[in-house]
Amino acid sequence: MKHIFWAPLLLLLGLTSCVSTFTENPDLPLLLVYARAGADGQAMLVAWDIATWEEPRPLSFALPADCRLFDLYPSPTDYILAVEFVCGGGPLVQVMNLRTAEVLTPAEQYQVDSRFQAWSADGRFLYLKADSLGAPFIFRFDLSNASRRRLDLPETVYDMAALSDGRILYALTRGLGFGSEVWVAAADGRRPHLLFAEPQHIVAYLRPSPDETHLAYIRLPDTSQPFPNGELWLRRLDGETTSLLSSADAGRGYAPAWSPDGQAIAFVMRVDLRNLWTNLAVYSLEKQEVSFLTEFKNAVVETPFWSPDGQFLTFNVVRNGTIQVWIAESNQGNPRPLDEAPFSCCAVWLPGR
């Protein structure tokens, strides 16, 4: 999801310079975290314990000055969020520890802008792209000691994903008309190996399957045309076997999402080519068919997120000048707003989604 939330995002505590502590704890209760408008019209981050479905509680973080929320990226192992903002001086990523209220800025040492790229599978490392308007570079931030390591990767890397053995996948382009290349490398970027190339297309939103045998991604034409329609593709990670699964919305940042059991892929499908309206669709690998979970006539449905138990999907719905988080049951649909807030955005599941 790449949709800038309304400003300002007002939260309750000031920022602290303390370092977040990396803690691997897979037994933490499940939380649903998102941003919504409060009773006073201001916005706040809230956390919802879905075991009880009680009223969500506000989280105590403050927005950096002159910034708007861009997106949330949850740690796979702990109550930690990478939060990307759009600020006056460029993009900014901060790391927020929901258990300790500690906040840090990974790119602060470099004094440049920063964009989120990926979490490592164990939640210890954060990969970011910095100085995107100058001399771009990728660096890895270690949450265990707040250290930074600049990686020897091409400046044209635009998308990344991490595997459970520590290796990273990344996509790069050498310019308009040169297509894309997808590489695999060690966690520190060394020993790169070309996985595949698409000379006439851009490959984006790399998403390995839960068992890491396959890679789902969106392929779109290598063109200057804004928001072209694209395709959802599936490729084996150990070979060249590929499958075209469906047409898909492209160019607006809507990534595919694997179900936790690896049997389905949720994605955004364009249903109106003129107005760019979209709906949420699910491809079943067992049935090899697409079904729709939403049937909006004049809305933009954004990137879906599965709950770790696979029972629900959350997603933004943008229509009539508003943005709201909706939730649907994966096996029945029944989409509905998550709560009654007139504006809400960017729901993610913690830990693990």
Side-chain angles (χ1 to χ4, degrees):
M1 188 281 301
K2 302 295 180 188
H3 193 98
I4 299 175
F5 199 39
W6 77 98
L9 178 63
L10 180 62
L11 303 172
L12 304 180
L13 285 184
L15 297 182
T16 162
S17 59
C18 297
V19 173
S20 293
T21 302
F22 165 69
T23 304
E24 189 169 355
N25 186 350
D27 298 323
L28 291 171
L30 182 65
L31 293 179
L32 182 58
V33 177
Y34 60 104
R36 73 168 186 175
D40 59 358
Q42 301 293 336
M44 64 182 68
L45 286 179
V46 296
W48 205 336
D49 183 349
I50 69 166
T52 61
W53 290 109
E54 295 177 351
E55 182 68 17
R57 69 178 189 273
L59 297 176
S60 299
F61 295 99
L63 176 69
D66 189 29
C67 295
R68 292 175 291 170
L69 177 65
F70 183 64
D71 215 342
L72 307 178
Y73 305 94
S75 163
T77 60
D78 204 350
Y79 290 160
I80 297 176
L81 281 174
V83 184
E84 186 168 337
F85 301 98
V86 174
C87 305
L92 170 69
V93 174
Q94 291 190 327
V95 177
M96 299 180 177
N97 189 317
L98 275 60
R99 293 190 295 127
T100 65
E102 295 171 336
V103 179
L104 68 158
T105 305
E108 188 172 25
Q109 178 176 312
Y110 297 119
Q111 297 182 338
V112 292
D113 60 59
S114 55
R115 293 185 182 277
F116 176 85
Q117 295 291 297
W119 280 100
S120 64
D122 64 2
R124 175 175 177 175
F125 297 111
L126 195 62
Y127 291 89
L128 301 109
K129 188 169 188 176
D131 200 13
S132 56
L133 301 179
F137 63 93
I138 302 292
F139 74 97
R140 187 181 70 180
F141 183 77
D142 188 340
L143 268 70
S144 68
N145 55 19
S147 64
R148 303 160 178 84
R149 176 169 181 168
R150 183 165 172 167
L151 305 185
D152 186 20
L153 293 176
E155 66 176 29
T156 54
V157 170
Y158 59 83
D159 189 34
M160 297 183 70
L163 300 174
S164 60
D165 62 5
R167 291 180 299 161
I168 55 173
L169 303 172
Y170 59 90
L172 61 84
T173 180
R174 305 189 187 279
L176 183 64
F178 287 87
S180 289
E181 298 172 2
V182 177
W183 292 73
V184 59
D188 58 5
R190 295 183 298 174
R191 301 187 298 278
H193 170 72
L194 179 64
L195 195 61
F196 67 96
E198 287 277 2
Q200 297 180 327
H201 297 88
I202 298 297
V203 172
Y205 320 121
L206 307 174
R207 296 296 184 268
S209 61
D211 63 5
E212 299 184 351
T213 60
H214 289 79
L215 181 69
Y217 56 90
I218 303 296
R219 194 182 80 165
L220 58 152
D222 185 1
T223 173
S224 59
Q225 174 189 348
F227 312 130
N229 205 23
E231 302 164 333
L232 174 65
W233 281 78
L234 186 67
R235 169 182 288 266
R236 284 197 61 88
L237 275 171
D238 61 359
E240 297 183 356
T241 304
T242 59
S243 301
L244 171 61
L245 304 185
S246 173
S247 64
D249 190 89
R252 292 192 284 185
Y254 305 150
W258 285 91
S259 62
D261 63 6
Q263 296 302 305
I265 304 171
F267 65 103
V268 177
M269 181 182 285
R270 191 171 297 177
V271 294
D272 186 317
L273 298 181
R274 179 179 179 182
N275 296 301
L276 306 185
W277 305 133
T278 61
N279 271 300
L280 180 60
V282 176
Y283 181 86
S284 167
L285 275 71
E286 179 183 4
K287 298 178 181 179
Q288 297 186 3
E289 64 182 25
V290 174
S291 59
F292 283 98
L293 276 183
T294 64
E295 297 181 350
F296 293 103
K297 302 299 182 183
N298 56 351
V300 173
V301 176
E302 300 189 317
T303 300
F305 290 87
W306 295 84
S307 61
D309 59 11
Q311 294 187 31
F312 300 100
L313 292 111
T314 53
F315 48 91
N316 292 335
V317 176
V318 182
R319 59 177 178 172
N320 301 325
T322 67
I323 178 172
Q324 272 190 309
V325 176
W326 283 54
I327 189 168
E329 298 171 45
S330 59
N331 58 351
Q332 297 181 11
N334 187 29
R336 56 198 182 276
L338 187 60
D339 65 21
E340 297 180 356
F343 290 89
S344 56
C345 173
C346 317
V348 294
W349 304 81
L350 284 171
R353 281 292 180 203

